[in-house]
Amino acid sequence: MPRRNKITIVGAGNVGATCAHWAVQKHLGDVVLVDIKEGLPQGKALDLAEASPVFDFDCKITGANDYGPTEGSDVVVITAGVPRKKDPVTGKFTSRDELVEINRQIVGEVTREIANRSPEAVLICVSNPLDAMCHVMLAESGFPTERVIGMAGVLDTARYKFFIAEALGVSVEDIHGMVLGGHGDTMVPVPSHTSVGGIPVTELLPQDKIDAIITRTRNGGGEIVGLLGYSGYYAPAASSVAMVEAIVRDKKRVLPCAAYLKGEYGYKDLYIGVPCVIGKGGVEKVLEMKLGEKEKAMLEVSAQAVRDVVALLPYGKK
Ligand code: APR
């Protein structure tokens, strides 16, 4: 019998548990959920396993507070960390930058545990600040760059596509487009490469409407935090699972992901959201597309924002 895929998800909170839910519902493989909170990963795993006879998924789901059961994982999604929250007193939201120090330590420790037991795995970073945490995972794992990927572009693009579909009253299935750059307020939606059933979006929506969609996309995370008081998780988990699926099924999907650039788009030694071919090996290729001068300038602003956060990390230059 062929060996089943093993998918580890570290952090059994909102995003992690929802990833597990969709991964098993899509029959992607056996799932191991790890968290420091006692009872949480075990409880989520048991609850999900009890749903398996209802939806007929034959996946083994394990919850643990240690890394033993993660051994030999094919894909590891790291969601462990502290999410953005609204301060009940000041009403201010935690900025992504404020999360750097605390999440750096959490992500660093988790990555070392994972890399020791699953040296061949593809690692997907979900913890924020996303682009900087990719650098932490790359440095702490010692893995080749193609096996350390960040999940941001799929989520940002999903929000962008949803807003376009909603504005035009058409199916989300027929929207194609990309959001590039870092996962933050400076991300770069690219209307020049966005189409609706093959028709450029710029021919269907007026510029002011497109601009409003771009602004709403950039504030997409904050909009949800404003409503809930904590970060969203359905869309982040769905986006992570799309990447897991592309890897375990070797789909060669073209997905916007945070990838370590080695000269593409004029950037080096920096994680930035770009279109990637995602398959068994992780980032199998970075696809370069022609950007207009305005888009290039926006990408540079975004890259600088990533560099500023990466500069806070103890990994030298970058
Ligand atoms: N090891 C394992 N798990 C940890 C560790 C650790 N060292 N530190 C924290 N965790 C766990 C927490 O116990 C919690 O269950 O990570 C989980 C995070 O879950 P939530 O607080 O529900 O956060 P969530 O909304 O899932 O977001 C997770 O994704 O979008 C990003 O910014 C967000 O970094 C955050 C991550």
Side-chain angles (χ1 to χ4, degrees):
M1 213 174 86
R3 182 186 160 278
R4 293 227 289 247
N5 296 311
K6 187 166 180 177
I7 302 156
T8 285
I9 300 163
V10 186
N14 283 337
V15 177
T18 312
C19 279
H21 174 180
W22 277 331
V24 293
Q25 207 172 345
K26 279 175 157 282
H27 306 260
L28 296 184
D30 294 336
V31 169
V32 181
L33 265 174
V34 179
D35 201 288
I36 39 166
K37 282 188 198 148
E38 280 182 27
L40 180 70
Q42 295 87 348
K44 292 281 182 186
L46 180 59
D47 194 10
L48 259 180
E50 288 170 357
S52 63
V54 183
F55 280 157
D56 284 334
F57 45 82
D58 282 315
C59 304
K60 191 172 165 216
I61 309 160
T62 308
N65 298 119
D66 68 291
Y67 288 83
T70 70
E71 186 142 8
S73 295
D74 300 285
V75 187
V76 180
V77 181
I78 298 184
T79 77
V82 178
R84 298 167 82 191
K85 282 202 180 81
K86 188 177 179 179
D87 187 309
V89 181
T90 63
K92 277 180 75 179
F93 301 120
T94 321
S95 75
R96 288 203 171 91
D97 295 11
E98 284 165 345
L99 298 179
V100 173
E101 185 48 31
I102 187 157
N103 280 356
R104 172 182 81 76
Q105 291 183 22
I106 293 173
V107 170
E109 176 202 310
V110 168
T111 304
R112 289 190 292 275
E113 296 280 3
I114 288 294
N116 281 339
R117 291 170 181 81
S118 301
E120 301 304 323
V122 177
L123 308 183
I124 299 176
C125 180
V126 178
S127 306
N128 275 320
L130 193 275
D131 309 276
M133 291 308 120
C134 290
H135 282 269
V136 173
M137 282 174 48
L138 183 71
E140 299 290 351
S141 66
F143 283 8
T145 54
E146 60 271 19
R147 286 202 282 119
V148 180
I149 325 170
M151 187 294 294
V154 180
L155 169 62
D156 298 328
T157 301
R159 288 178 172 146
Y160 175 61
K161 288 182 183 177
F162 171 70
F163 299 146
I164 291 172
E166 196 186 32
L168 287 167
V170 302
S171 169
V172 290
E173 266 182 64
D174 296 314
I175 315 290
H176 293 279
M178 291 270 172
V179 176
L180 308 181
H183 184 50
D185 308 340
T186 58
M187 68 180 77
V188 186
V190 190
S192 65
H193 288 72
T194 303
S195 74
V196 181
I199 307 164
V201 72
T202 45
E203 292 178 19
L204 297 175
L205 282 174
Q207 192 57 46
D208 62 333
K209 190 77 199 165
I210 293 175
D211 289 343
I213 286 173
I214 288 176
T215 304
R216 191 171 177 201
T217 302
R218 287 192 172 137
N219 300 330
E223 184 177 356
I224 302 276
V225 177
L227 292 166
L228 296 176
Y230 50 87
S231 298
Y233 50 95
Y234 293 118
S239 306
S240 309
V241 169
M243 291 171 66
V244 172
E245 183 178 19
I247 295 163
V248 298
R249 298 208 165 128
D250 196 22
K251 288 185 81 163
K252 321 285 187 202
R253 283 208 63 195
V254 178
L255 297 173
C257 301
Y260 189 84
L261 298 188
K262 300 172 179 170
E264 300 91 342
Y265 293 89
Y267 294 99
K268 260 185 128 167
D269 303 329
L270 196 66
Y271 270 93
I272 296 215
V274 289
C276 300
V277 178
I278 303 290
K280 200 92 191 156
V283 175
E284 298 190 349
K285 198 173 180 192
V286 169
L287 299 184
E288 294 209 59
M289 62 205 231
K290 272 203 183 121
L291 297 175
E293 286 311 311
K294 201 173 148 204
E295 290 161 345
K296 273 189 205 158
M298 279 161 59
L299 192 61
E300 174 50 28
V301 170
S302 191
Q304 191 51 47
V306 175
R307 280 190 209 105
D308 290 345
V309 184
V310 173
L312 304 173
L313 301 172
Y315 300 116
K317 52 182 185 95
K318 287 164 202 146

